[in-house]
Every structure is written in C-alpha cells, then in structure tokens.
Amino acid sequence: MTFKNKVVWITGASSGIGKGLALELSKLNCKLILSARNTQTLIEVKNACGNSENIKILPFDLAHYANMKLVVEDALKLFGRVDILINNGGISQRSPIIETSIDVDKKLMEIDYLGTIALSKALLPHFVANQTGHYVVVSSIMGKFSSPLRSAYCGAKHALHGFFDALRLEHDKDQLKVTMICPGFVNTDVARNALIADGSKQGYQDEMTENGLDVDVFVKRMLKAIRKEKYEAYIGKFEAFGVYIKRFFPKLLHKLVLRSKVN
C-alpha cells in the first residue's frame, strides 16, 4: 500500500503522535484532513507541514459522538473522499480503581471508545460504497494487557480491539482493512493530560513516558506497519514483549508488571 494520492484523515492531530503523523505524511504526496478540538492548534500544525495546500482542518470533539454523521459529511466535502482514517484521538488515565470516580470511566469510554467507533461507523457506508478503505486505530500495548493505575484506559483500549476485529471480519468482503497500532511508551504529553481520580488532569510527565520512543521514530514505524496493512503492530522499546509474555506466561507477566516502574 502507498500513501501517494490518498486522502488521509487524522484525529488527535493537534499534538503528539497525531502531529507527528501530519508532519511526516505531508511529505508523501497525499491529502490530509486534520482533526482535534482546538482550531488554532490545528492551523499551527497545518502551517508547520509541507504541502499545506493539500491539508484541510476539521475541528470536532470525539466526546460528542452523536454528531459523527454530520462530521463525516463535512469531511467528505473537503476532498470528495476519504481513503484512510487514522483514529488517533483520545485521553489516558492515572489513578487507583478504588479512588476513581465512575465519571472518569465514563469519560474514557465516551472519548476513547464510543467517539472512535461512532466516527468509524459513520464513515463505513462511504468505504463500503467504494469497496475500499483502511481504518487505522491507535490503541495501546495496554489494549493487550493491563497495568496498575490505568483501569479505565485499559478497558477502553481493550474494547477497541473487540470492535475492530469484528469489523475486519464483517467487511473483509468489501476489501476494507483494519490496522491496530499498539504503542508502548512514546514521549508525548499523554501522561500530563491523563485524568486522575477526580477527573482533573495529572499535570506532570512520568518517567516511563519521558524515556519512551521519540515521536518521529514511532511515526516512521507506524507508517511502515500501515503500508504493510498489518492487522496489529506493537511499537515500543522493551514493553512490546509483554504481549507475547501475556499470551504464553500470564503469571510471569503479572509479576514483571508489579516489579516494574510502570505504576
């Protein structure tokens, strides 16, 4: 698969991985739609990209998942089609289960899960009508196994795998592709913006995230996985091995996570 002449729609494009994707994809002779909540930040990302005449911005909030049909209608007006949807938008969480308000769990599910699948379902008829389309979903290593202090985040990311595995099966006949991208630690602001027990932001970086992959390194590996149309790609330093340890030695992974600095 090539990105040349494709229309690629990126959510969560205002910072971190989404911004890194925009910067890299703008070099690859494709058209981009950049989405996030903050219009001004999206404009800044667009202006930082090369080939900005082939970039449009479409601000919206994933939490408003009832509006996704209208959002898709607006997206299709920009270039007439969408070829690849990169579901990158979302938030994280850092708090003990016993202290965490159920409102935090609800917000994580609304944004990370319901917002993502509502957008994907709204775009689905377009993909089916064209008999082509590629969903790329930025999940997490935490979508394959869990760790302390991330219960709501892990729950939402695990749910994404269940939904998109079903979508891949149902629409194999329509030539649709699904690639689940599972980052380990990437040096972004995800920890600073993570919700704590009362729903406020954590506000500081954690050591594991700060020592994670640089965004540009991660993005290059991610785009390689998309080109290869992989079903799943685990991208990190050492932490990706946890997926395989969980599969064959779940008790060992339990002990390793407890001993690590992840929490």
Side-chain angles (χ1 to χ4, degrees):
M1 195 275 286
T2 177
F3 292 104
K4 185 177 181 180
N5 298 323
K6 294 288 198 306
V7 177
V8 184
W9 186 2
I10 307 169
T11 69
S14 60
S15 64
I17 291 170
K19 179 179 178 180
L21 286 166
L23 292 170
E24 190 65 25
L25 284 167
S26 69
K27 306 172 187 175
L28 301 180
N29 197 26
C30 58
K31 295 179 172 64
L32 299 179
I33 302 171
L34 307 182
S35 291
R37 289 178 298 169
N38 191 304
T39 301
Q40 183 56 43
T41 309
L42 288 173
I43 292 172
E44 292 169 5
V45 173
K46 175 182 175 178
N47 291 340
C49 291
N51 206 22
S52 61
E53 66 273 13
N54 285 329
I55 301 174
K56 306 290 186 182
I57 65 168
L58 179 59
F60 74 93
D61 190 339
L62 280 169
H64 301 158
Y65 52 86
N67 300 330
M68 292 309 175
K69 288 185 178 180
L70 296 176
V71 172
V72 167
E73 288 176 8
D74 289 340
L76 293 177
K77 291 173 185 176
L78 296 176
F79 294 112
R81 70 179 199 280
V82 171
D83 299 301
I84 303 170
L85 171 61
I86 301 181
N87 284 304
N88 171 68
I91 55 174
S92 190
Q93 168 252 344
R94 302 284 192 279
S95 55
I97 294 170
I98 198 168
E99 298 174 6
T100 302
S101 165
I102 194 66
D103 290 336
V104 172
D105 298 88
K106 181 181 178 182
K107 189 166 185 178
L108 266 289
M109 289 301 291
E110 285 178 341
I111 295 172
D112 289 4
Y113 178 68
L114 291 173
T116 294
I117 69 164
L119 180 63
S120 299
K121 290 177 75 169
L123 186 60
L124 184 58
H126 175 71
F127 278 176
V128 170
N130 291 338
Q131 288 291 284
T132 185
H134 194 161
Y135 290 106
V136 180
V137 184
V138 179
S139 173
S140 171
I141 292 293
M142 298 291 104
K144 301 298 290 183
F145 63 90
S146 297
S147 76
L149 307 183
R150 293 164 172 80
S151 56
Y153 180 71
C154 293
K157 294 299 187 180
H158 274 68
L160 287 174
H161 284 266
F163 176 85
F164 281 99
D165 283 351
L167 188 151
R168 186 191 292 113
L169 287 164
E170 287 188 25
H171 291 281
D172 180 78
K173 65 183 184 298
D174 298 310
Q175 314 305 314
L176 303 194
K177 309 296 182 185
V178 175
T179 297
M180 303 296 295
I181 300 292
C182 302
F185 294 101
V186 183
N187 190 5
T188 69
D189 286 334
V190 64
R192 291 187 181 93
N193 294 326
L195 303 187
I196 57 174
D198 64 359
S200 60
K201 290 185 180 181
Q202 175 170 267
Y204 61 86
Q205 185 70 294
D206 60 50
E207 181 182 353
M208 297 294 284
T209 304
E210 188 170 14
N211 293 327
L213 287 177
D214 290 337
V215 171
D216 57 343
V217 173
F218 174 84
V219 163
K220 287 180 172 62
R221 295 184 188 178
M222 177 175 170
L223 294 179
K224 183 177 180 180
I226 298 170
R227 285 191 187 96
K228 291 185 175 181
E229 299 179 352
K230 288 191 172 184
Y231 281 14
E232 290 188 352
Y234 316 123
I235 306 174
K237 293 183 176 179
F238 63 89
E239 62 272 16
F241 291 105
V243 177
Y244 304 102
I245 298 172
K246 172 68 180 292
R247 186 179 303 167
F248 299 108
F249 307 103
K251 289 186 178 180
L252 173 61
L253 180 67
H254 177 89
K255 293 177 181 178
L256 291 173
V257 170
L258 287 177
R259 292 175 185 171
S260 73
K261 295 181 181 180
V262 170
N263 58 335

